[in-house]
mmCIF file of all heavy atoms in Angstrom:
data_model
loop_
_atom_site.group_PDB
_atom_site.id
_atom_site.type_symbol
_atom_site.label_atom_id
_atom_site.label_comp_id
_atom_site.label_asym_id
_atom_site.label_seq_id
_atom_site.Cartn_x
_atom_site.Cartn_y
_atom_site.Cartn_z
ATOM 1 N N ILE A 1030 -9.950 -1.763 -24.628
ATOM 2 C CA ILE A 1030 -10.589 -0.595 -25.236
ATOM 3 C C ILE A 1030 -9.602 0.637 -25.012
ATOM 4 O O ILE A 1030 -9.351 0.874 -23.866
ATOM 5 C CB ILE A 1030 -11.932 -0.365 -24.627
ATOM 6 C CG1 ILE A 1030 -12.924 -1.531 -24.850
ATOM 7 C CG2 ILE A 1030 -12.514 0.922 -25.238
ATOM 8 C CD1 ILE A 1030 -14.237 -1.408 -24.161
ATOM 9 N N PRO A 1031 -9.131 1.229 -26.077
ATOM 10 C CA PRO A 1031 -8.283 2.356 -25.879
ATOM 11 C C PRO A 1031 -8.942 3.428 -24.926
ATOM 12 O O PRO A 1031 -10.177 3.726 -25.058
ATOM 13 C CB PRO A 1031 -8.099 2.929 -27.281
ATOM 14 C CG PRO A 1031 -8.286 1.692 -28.206
ATOM 15 C CD PRO A 1031 -9.355 0.899 -27.549
ATOM 16 N N MET A 1032 -8.095 3.876 -24.109
ATOM 17 C CA MET A 1032 -8.709 4.877 -23.086
ATOM 18 C C MET A 1032 -9.308 6.110 -23.763
ATOM 19 O O MET A 1032 -10.323 6.655 -23.237
ATOM 20 C CB MET A 1032 -7.636 5.316 -22.038
ATOM 21 C CG MET A 1032 -7.169 4.180 -21.195
ATOM 22 S SD MET A 1032 -5.982 4.631 -19.934
ATOM 23 C CE MET A 1032 -6.985 5.472 -18.757
ATOM 24 N N GLU A 1033 -8.755 6.568 -24.840
ATOM 25 C CA GLU A 1033 -9.306 7.752 -25.511
ATOM 26 C C GLU A 1033 -10.709 7.460 -26.169
ATOM 27 O O GLU A 1033 -11.415 8.380 -26.416
ATOM 28 C CB GLU A 1033 -8.384 8.131 -26.643
ATOM 29 C CG GLU A 1033 -8.170 7.202 -27.804
ATOM 30 C CD GLU A 1033 -6.896 6.354 -27.536
ATOM 31 O OE1 GLU A 1033 -6.474 6.208 -26.329
ATOM 32 O OE2 GLU A 1033 -6.374 5.757 -28.464
ATOM 33 N N GLU A 1034 -11.080 6.156 -26.249
ATOM 34 C CA GLU A 1034 -12.435 5.906 -26.848
ATOM 35 C C GLU A 1034 -13.450 5.890 -25.738
ATOM 36 O O GLU A 1034 -14.677 5.947 -26.017
ATOM 37 C CB GLU A 1034 -12.391 4.452 -27.451
ATOM 38 C CG GLU A 1034 -11.589 4.366 -28.787
ATOM 39 C CD GLU A 1034 -11.782 3.061 -29.529
ATOM 40 O OE1 GLU A 1034 -12.694 2.243 -29.071
ATOM 41 O OE2 GLU A 1034 -11.071 2.752 -30.414
ATOM 42 N N VAL A 1035 -13.095 5.877 -24.452
ATOM 43 C CA VAL A 1035 -14.101 5.878 -23.362
ATOM 44 C C VAL A 1035 -13.656 6.924 -22.260
ATOM 45 O O VAL A 1035 -13.369 6.534 -21.159
ATOM 46 C CB VAL A 1035 -14.311 4.492 -22.717
ATOM 47 C CG1 VAL A 1035 -15.155 3.621 -23.564
ATOM 48 C CG2 VAL A 1035 -12.922 3.842 -22.424
ATOM 49 N N PRO A 1036 -13.572 8.181 -22.660
ATOM 50 C CA PRO A 1036 -13.206 9.200 -21.633
ATOM 51 C C PRO A 1036 -14.304 9.226 -20.554
ATOM 52 O O PRO A 1036 -15.437 8.935 -20.768
ATOM 53 C CB PRO A 1036 -13.219 10.552 -22.493
ATOM 54 C CG PRO A 1036 -14.110 10.259 -23.611
ATOM 55 C CD PRO A 1036 -13.999 8.826 -23.946
ATOM 56 N N PRO A 1037 -13.865 9.595 -19.387
ATOM 57 C CA PRO A 1037 -14.822 9.552 -18.214
ATOM 58 C C PRO A 1037 -16.104 10.405 -18.475
ATOM 59 O O PRO A 1037 -17.190 9.968 -17.993
ATOM 60 C CB PRO A 1037 -13.973 10.191 -17.091
ATOM 61 C CG PRO A 1037 -12.558 9.881 -17.399
ATOM 62 C CD PRO A 1037 -12.568 9.884 -18.859
ATOM 63 N N GLU A 1038 -16.079 11.449 -19.221
ATOM 64 C CA GLU A 1038 -17.239 12.313 -19.461
ATOM 65 C C GLU A 1038 -18.255 11.495 -20.331
ATOM 66 O O GLU A 1038 -19.401 11.982 -20.347
ATOM 67 C CB GLU A 1038 -16.872 13.589 -20.098
ATOM 68 C CG GLU A 1038 -16.095 13.511 -21.402
ATOM 69 C CD GLU A 1038 -14.663 13.497 -21.217
ATOM 70 O OE1 GLU A 1038 -14.139 13.203 -20.106
ATOM 71 O OE2 GLU A 1038 -13.922 13.928 -22.210
ATOM 72 N N GLU A 1039 -17.859 10.444 -20.975
ATOM 73 C CA GLU A 1039 -18.781 9.672 -21.735
ATOM 74 C C GLU A 1039 -19.255 8.390 -20.964
ATOM 75 O O GLU A 1039 -19.993 7.568 -21.549
ATOM 76 C CB GLU A 1039 -18.157 9.265 -23.106
ATOM 77 C CG GLU A 1039 -17.934 10.469 -24.017
ATOM 78 C CD GLU A 1039 -17.419 10.088 -25.363
ATOM 79 O OE1 GLU A 1039 -17.409 8.870 -25.740
ATOM 80 O OE2 GLU A 1039 -16.995 10.963 -26.026
ATOM 81 N N ILE A 1040 -18.825 8.220 -19.778
ATOM 82 C CA ILE A 1040 -19.271 7.178 -18.869
ATOM 83 C C ILE A 1040 -20.347 7.730 -17.928
ATOM 84 O O ILE A 1040 -20.002 8.563 -17.087
ATOM 85 C CB ILE A 1040 -18.091 6.555 -18.131
ATOM 86 C CG1 ILE A 1040 -17.064 6.003 -19.114
ATOM 87 C CG2 ILE A 1040 -18.578 5.434 -17.187
ATOM 88 C CD1 ILE A 1040 -15.773 5.489 -18.452
ATOM 89 N N ASN A 1041 -21.515 7.288 -18.040
ATOM 90 C CA ASN A 1041 -22.691 7.850 -17.290
ATOM 91 C C ASN A 1041 -22.984 7.038 -16.017
ATOM 92 O O ASN A 1041 -23.207 5.879 -16.041
ATOM 93 C CB ASN A 1041 -23.918 7.882 -18.205
ATOM 94 C CG ASN A 1041 -23.721 8.712 -19.400
ATOM 95 O OD1 ASN A 1041 -23.359 9.826 -19.381
ATOM 96 N ND2 ASN A 1041 -23.824 8.058 -20.631
ATOM 97 N N TYR A 1042 -23.006 7.799 -14.944
ATOM 98 C CA TYR A 1042 -23.247 7.261 -13.559
ATOM 99 C C TYR A 1042 -24.775 7.342 -13.348
ATOM 100 O O TYR A 1042 -25.329 8.434 -13.271
ATOM 101 C CB TYR A 1042 -22.355 7.958 -12.566
ATOM 102 C CG TYR A 1042 -22.889 7.858 -11.113
ATOM 103 C CD1 TYR A 1042 -23.301 6.625 -10.591
ATOM 104 C CD2 TYR A 1042 -22.755 8.916 -10.222
ATOM 105 C CE1 TYR A 1042 -23.657 6.499 -9.303
ATOM 106 C CE2 TYR A 1042 -23.168 8.807 -8.895
ATOM 107 C CZ TYR A 1042 -23.569 7.611 -8.429
ATOM 108 O OH TYR A 1042 -23.958 7.456 -7.069
ATOM 109 N N LEU A 1043 -25.374 6.139 -13.129
ATOM 110 C CA LEU A 1043 -26.848 6.098 -12.852
ATOM 111 C C LEU A 1043 -27.116 6.063 -11.390
ATOM 112 O O LEU A 1043 -27.785 7.016 -10.850
ATOM 113 C CB LEU A 1043 -27.517 4.923 -13.651
ATOM 114 C CG LEU A 1043 -28.049 5.207 -14.914
ATOM 115 C CD1 LEU A 1043 -26.991 5.515 -15.936
ATOM 116 C CD2 LEU A 1043 -28.832 3.914 -15.419
ATOM 117 N N THR A 1044 -26.712 5.045 -10.693
ATOM 118 C CA THR A 1044 -27.144 4.838 -9.317
ATOM 119 C C THR A 1044 -26.190 3.909 -8.630
ATOM 120 O O THR A 1044 -25.181 3.513 -9.267
ATOM 121 C CB THR A 1044 -28.560 4.416 -9.288
ATOM 122 O OG1 THR A 1044 -28.993 4.468 -7.877
ATOM 123 C CG2 THR A 1044 -28.790 2.990 -9.784
ATOM 124 N N ARG A 1045 -26.475 3.413 -7.472
ATOM 125 C CA ARG A 1045 -25.601 2.454 -6.734
ATOM 126 C C ARG A 1045 -26.478 1.355 -6.166
ATOM 127 O O ARG A 1045 -27.665 1.584 -5.786
ATOM 128 C CB ARG A 1045 -24.900 3.216 -5.591
ATOM 129 C CG ARG A 1045 -23.920 4.199 -5.936
ATOM 130 C CD ARG A 1045 -23.471 5.103 -4.789
ATOM 131 N NE ARG A 1045 -24.542 5.945 -4.315
ATOM 132 C CZ ARG A 1045 -24.475 6.810 -3.287
ATOM 133 N NH1 ARG A 1045 -23.334 6.786 -2.536
ATOM 134 N NH2 ARG A 1045 -25.496 7.620 -2.978
ATOM 135 N N ILE A 1046 -25.880 0.174 -6.023
ATOM 136 C CA ILE A 1046 -26.538 -0.976 -5.319
ATOM 137 C C ILE A 1046 -25.539 -1.470 -4.272
ATOM 138 O O ILE A 1046 -24.351 -1.325 -4.402
ATOM 139 C CB ILE A 1046 -26.914 -2.058 -6.266
ATOM 140 C CG1 ILE A 1046 -25.679 -2.803 -6.825
ATOM 141 C CG2 ILE A 1046 -27.850 -1.596 -7.388
ATOM 142 C CD1 ILE A 1046 -25.996 -4.102 -7.546
ATOM 143 N N HIS A 1047 -26.140 -2.013 -3.169
ATOM 144 C CA HIS A 1047 -25.298 -2.662 -2.084
ATOM 145 C C HIS A 1047 -25.733 -4.105 -2.040
ATOM 146 O O HIS A 1047 -26.907 -4.396 -1.858
ATOM 147 C CB HIS A 1047 -25.671 -1.957 -0.785
ATOM 148 C CG HIS A 1047 -24.961 -2.447 0.447
ATOM 149 N ND1 HIS A 1047 -25.219 -2.006 1.665
ATOM 150 C CD2 HIS A 1047 -24.030 -3.377 0.536
ATOM 151 C CE1 HIS A 1047 -24.496 -2.708 2.568
ATOM 152 N NE2 HIS A 1047 -23.656 -3.546 1.850
ATOM 153 N N TYR A 1048 -24.745 -4.977 -2.217
ATOM 154 C CA TYR A 1048 -25.041 -6.386 -2.255
ATOM 155 C C TYR A 1048 -23.880 -7.147 -1.615
ATOM 156 O O TYR A 1048 -22.754 -6.631 -1.478
ATOM 157 C CB TYR A 1048 -25.277 -6.929 -3.676
ATOM 158 C CG TYR A 1048 -23.911 -7.103 -4.504
ATOM 159 C CD1 TYR A 1048 -23.373 -8.404 -4.510
ATOM 160 C CD2 TYR A 1048 -23.313 -6.071 -5.046
ATOM 161 C CE1 TYR A 1048 -22.288 -8.503 -5.228
ATOM 162 C CE2 TYR A 1048 -22.191 -6.255 -5.756
ATOM 163 C CZ TYR A 1048 -21.585 -7.533 -5.812
ATOM 164 O OH TYR A 1048 -20.349 -7.681 -6.443
ATOM 165 N N LYS A 1049 -24.148 -8.441 -1.275
ATOM 166 C CA LYS A 1049 -23.128 -9.274 -0.724
ATOM 167 C C LYS A 1049 -23.334 -10.661 -1.312
ATOM 168 O O LYS A 1049 -24.468 -11.139 -1.377
ATOM 169 C CB LYS A 1049 -23.277 -9.352 0.868
ATOM 170 C CG LYS A 1049 -22.273 -10.287 1.509
ATOM 171 C CD LYS A 1049 -22.200 -9.938 3.035
ATOM 172 C CE LYS A 1049 -23.440 -10.254 3.713
ATOM 173 N NZ LYS A 1049 -23.349 -10.185 5.189
ATOM 174 N N ALA A 1050 -22.231 -11.412 -1.678
ATOM 175 C CA ALA A 1050 -22.360 -12.700 -2.280
ATOM 176 C C ALA A 1050 -21.020 -13.523 -2.107
ATOM 177 O O ALA A 1050 -19.951 -12.911 -2.124
ATOM 178 C CB ALA A 1050 -22.687 -12.608 -3.719
ATOM 179 N N GLN A 1051 -21.187 -14.753 -1.810
ATOM 180 C CA GLN A 1051 -19.989 -15.731 -1.653
ATOM 181 C C GLN A 1051 -19.705 -16.267 -3.025
ATOM 182 O O GLN A 1051 -20.614 -16.676 -3.772
ATOM 183 C CB GLN A 1051 -20.285 -16.736 -0.695
ATOM 184 C CG GLN A 1051 -20.211 -16.343 0.756
ATOM 185 C CD GLN A 1051 -20.126 -17.499 1.718
ATOM 186 O OE1 GLN A 1051 -20.095 -18.624 1.319
ATOM 187 N NE2 GLN A 1051 -20.054 -17.197 3.047
ATOM 188 N N SER A 1052 -18.449 -16.330 -3.365
ATOM 189 C CA SER A 1052 -17.975 -17.117 -4.583
ATOM 190 C C SER A 1052 -17.762 -18.575 -4.223
ATOM 191 O O SER A 1052 -18.104 -19.438 -4.932
ATOM 192 C CB SER A 1052 -16.688 -16.456 -5.122
ATOM 193 O OG SER A 1052 -16.178 -17.172 -6.168
ATOM 194 N N ASP A 1053 -17.061 -18.790 -3.109
ATOM 195 C CA ASP A 1053 -16.860 -20.108 -2.654
ATOM 196 C C ASP A 1053 -16.601 -20.034 -1.064
ATOM 197 O O ASP A 1053 -17.008 -19.008 -0.509
ATOM 198 C CB ASP A 1053 -15.577 -20.747 -3.357
ATOM 199 C CG ASP A 1053 -14.308 -19.912 -3.196
ATOM 200 O OD1 ASP A 1053 -14.100 -19.176 -2.175
ATOM 201 O OD2 ASP A 1053 -13.441 -20.058 -4.092
ATOM 202 N N GLY A 1054 -16.016 -21.007 -0.488
ATOM 203 C CA GLY A 1054 -15.842 -21.033 0.960
ATOM 204 C C GLY A 1054 -14.910 -20.061 1.491
ATOM 205 O O GLY A 1054 -14.861 -19.747 2.681
ATOM 206 N N ILE A 1055 -14.030 -19.489 0.603
ATOM 207 C CA ILE A 1055 -13.003 -18.500 1.054
ATOM 208 C C ILE A 1055 -13.259 -17.101 0.566
ATOM 209 O O ILE A 1055 -13.175 -16.123 1.346
ATOM 210 C CB ILE A 1055 -11.587 -18.962 0.522
ATOM 211 C CG1 ILE A 1055 -11.256 -20.335 1.193
ATOM 212 C CG2 ILE A 1055 -10.485 -17.943 0.900
ATOM 213 C CD1 ILE A 1055 -9.919 -20.902 0.565
#
């Protein structure tokens, strides 16, 4: 996606989550 199509001012920050998850043994 060209950077000019998604300037930071058009990216809306809602909230935050804290999570933990394993992908595999490493």
Side-chain angles (χ1 to χ4, degrees):
I1030 300 173
M1032 294 183 74
E1033 62 269 19
E1034 291 189 9
V1035 283
E1038 58 267 24
E1039 294 184 11
I1040 300 173
N1041 299 303
Y1042 163 40
L1043 266 66
T1044 191
R1045 293 167 290 177
I1046 68 167
H1047 178 187
Y1048 79 96
K1049 179 166 65 174
Q1051 286 195 358
S1052 178
D1053 56 27
I1055 296 174

